[in-house]
């Protein structure tokens, strides 16, 4: 039976979860390819995807790898007056260089991730410059995300629906180049494609060609090139509440340097960890958690993190409202 909706609420069944996992493996996989690998009807796959997409429960977005652009990702933590949280959050969410913007309980703090060229961090017009000019901000800290240790390729809590063989069959045939860590400078045409795919990574080649006034053959080649050289990655945005995770939290860990690698390997096995990275700053590991309740956070801290050797200090905060996830806020395009 197809996953049901109660009013505007969407629920997922096992087939929905298999399709979502398939999209995380290859965000641009055709409905026919997904159907063939999952032994489903193509119309079933398309109908279920459109149902989730139309209710804003699911979106596949294209994101640019900061390393390939020569940029760094920064986790920014902002404390402000309560009356300024909404306006600051909206300003951050509207920028192209921000993602994962959230207010934190009880409503006097915001967090986000900023992608920036190291040489431009302090220049006029950057996030840091604009935030520094606001009088209603009491403090601002920024930690550079050094190396991801968990959640690469998506939150593990939603990646258990397919077998290893199904994942292997769906995985795109990309060329792994030894130069994938080298800096890439996108052309203006590539930048336009990346912006469009950031809104919806499943936009068809025909639609991309129309929006960019470019031949379909050229667009197809450029999208393939951007994917194969590692500049274009895909992220599935989906409300974690559909997986029974109603509490989001951020966790800052101070880990003994000699135990960093071991702790990172353990975090990668934790289904509660959506993403974790080593960082600069007074704490050296940052983790985003998806949990069923505040009580589940207590259990996670005491039973799982508490069992790991080398953690000297832990700070946690519950996310109040997610203002922006990986992709840009959707705005209605002008039509002639």
């Amino acid at each position: 039976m197809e996953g049901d909706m109660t009013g505007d609420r969407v629920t997922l069944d096992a087939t929905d979860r298999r399709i979502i996992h398939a999209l995380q493996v290859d965000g641009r996989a055709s409905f026919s390819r997904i159907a063939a690998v999952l032994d489903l009807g193509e119309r079933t796959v398309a109908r279920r995807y459109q149902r989730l997409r139309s209710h804003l429960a699911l979106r596949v977005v294209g994101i640019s790898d900061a390393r390939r652009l020569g940029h760094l990702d920064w986790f920014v933590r902002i404390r402000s007056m309560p009356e300024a949280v909404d306006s600051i959050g909206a300003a951050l969410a509207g920028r192209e260089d921000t993602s994962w913007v959230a207010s934190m309980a009880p409503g006097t703090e915001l967090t986000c991730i900023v992608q920036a060229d190291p040489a431009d961090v302090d220049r006029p017009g950057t996030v840091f410059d604009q935030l520094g000019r606001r009088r209603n901000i009491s403090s601002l800290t920024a930690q550079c995300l050094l190396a991801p240790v968990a959640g690469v390729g998506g939150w593990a809590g939603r990646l258990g629906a397919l077998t290893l063989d199904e994942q292997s069959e769906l995985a795109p045939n990309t060329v792994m180049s030894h130069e994938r860590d080298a800096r890439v400078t996108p052309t203006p045409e590539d930048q336009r494609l990346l912006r469009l795919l950031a809104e919806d990574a499943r936009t068809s080649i025909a639609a991309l060609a129309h929006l960019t006034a470019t031949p379909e053959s050229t667009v197809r080649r450029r999208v393939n090139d951007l994917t194969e050289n590692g500049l274009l990655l895909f992220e599935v945005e989906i409300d974690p509440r559909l997986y029974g995770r109603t509490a989001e939290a951020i966790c800052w860990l101070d880990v003994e340097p000699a135990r960093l690698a071991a702790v990172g390997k353990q975090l990668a096995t934790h289904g509660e960890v959506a993403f974790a990275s080593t960082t600069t700053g007074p704490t050296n590991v940052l983790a985003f958690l998806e949990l069923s309740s505040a009580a589940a956070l207590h259990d996670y801290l005491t039973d799982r993190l508490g069992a790991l050797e080398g953690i000297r200090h832990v700070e946690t905060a519950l996310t109040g409202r997610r203002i922006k996830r990986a992709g840009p806020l959707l705005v209605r395009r002008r039509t002639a």
Side-chain angles (χ1 to χ4, degrees), residues 23 54 102 113 122 137 158 226 255 260 277 282 285 298 328:
L23 291 170
S54 65
I113 291 178
D122 296 325
I137 290 177
R158 65 172 183 236
L226 290 169
V255 181
L260 265 177
S277 175
V285 176
H298 167 83

Side-chain angles (χ1 to χ4, degrees), residues 248-329:
E248 292 186 76
I250 296 176
C251 187
W252 293 264
L253 306 177
D254 178 17
V255 181
E256 295 174 7
R259 298 295 301 174
L260 265 177
V263 169
K265 288 180 180 178
Q266 288 299 312
L267 292 177
T269 69
H270 293 182
E272 298 89 346
V273 178
F275 175 79
S277 175
T278 56
T279 72
T280 60
T283 58
N284 51 13
V285 176
L286 175 75
F288 292 81
L289 307 179
E290 302 289 357
L291 306 126
S292 59
S293 64
L297 174 59
H298 167 83
D299 293 341
Y300 177 72
L301 294 174
T302 56
D303 298 340
R304 306 207 73 181
L305 281 188
L308 300 183
E309 295 182 5
I311 299 178
R312 297 179 292 205
H313 176 74
V314 177
E315 180 184 355
T316 57
L318 287 170
T319 299
R321 181 169 64 95
R322 181 65 64 186
I323 303 168
K324 180 183 183 182
R325 294 188 181 271
L329 298 183

Side-chain angles (χ1 to χ4, degrees), residues 17-221:
R17 296 186 184 210
R18 281 165 55 77
I19 293 169
I20 292 165
H21 190 171
L23 291 170
Q24 187 64 69
V25 175
D26 183 356
R28 285 188 62 83
S30 66
F31 293 139
S32 61
R33 183 157 161 257
I34 293 173
V37 174
L38 273 55
D39 195 22
L40 297 169
E42 182 177 348
R43 293 181 63 182
T44 297
V45 174
R47 183 176 67 251
R48 286 172 177 262
Y49 170 82
Q50 296 297 344
R51 176 179 66 89
L52 294 170
R53 185 73 175 85
S54 65
H55 282 78
L56 304 181
L58 170 69
R59 180 167 64 141
V60 183
V61 298
I63 57 177
S64 299
D65 187 337
R67 295 170 301 173
R68 299 293 278 145
L69 292 170
H71 293 174
L72 296 173
D73 284 327
W74 299 83
F75 180 79
V76 181
R77 190 175 184 182
I78 305 155
R79 289 189 173 93
S80 71
M81 300 300 292
E83 61 271 17
V85 167
D86 287 346
S87 64
I88 296 173
L92 288 171
R95 295 182 60 100
E96 288 187 357
D97 53 2
T98 64
S99 59
W100 303 105
V101 182
S103 63
M104 309 302 292
T108 59
E109 189 172 347
L110 287 159
T111 61
C112 72
I113 291 178
V114 175
Q115 188 177 108
D117 187 318
D120 293 336
V121 167
D122 296 325
R123 291 183 181 176
T126 64
V127 170
F128 302 104
D129 171 65
Q130 293 190 352
L131 290 174
R133 296 172 184 272
R134 282 184 173 260
R135 297 181 179 179
N136 45 20
I137 290 177
S138 57
S139 70
L140 183 151
T141 60
Q143 295 174 271
C144 180
L145 303 184
L146 299 176
V149 296
V152 178
W155 168 42
R158 65 172 183 236
L159 298 182
L162 300 183
T163 67
L164 292 177
D165 286 344
E166 289 170 333
Q167 294 177 57
S168 177
E169 194 170 350
L170 279 164
N173 296 318
T174 56
V175 177
M176 299 297 291
S177 167
H178 67 283
E179 298 180 347
R180 286 191 65 152
D181 287 333
R183 180 168 182 163
V184 174
T185 302
T187 65
E189 293 77 15
D190 288 341
Q191 291 174 348
R192 179 78 192 281
L193 279 175
L194 289 169
R195 290 191 187 98
L196 291 169
L197 292 167
E199 291 188 9
D200 183 357
R202 294 187 60 79
T203 302
S204 69
I205 294 296
L208 291 171
H210 173 73
L211 290 167
T212 59
T214 306
E216 289 188 23
S217 58
T218 301
V219 171
R220 183 175 290 103
R221 185 182 68 252

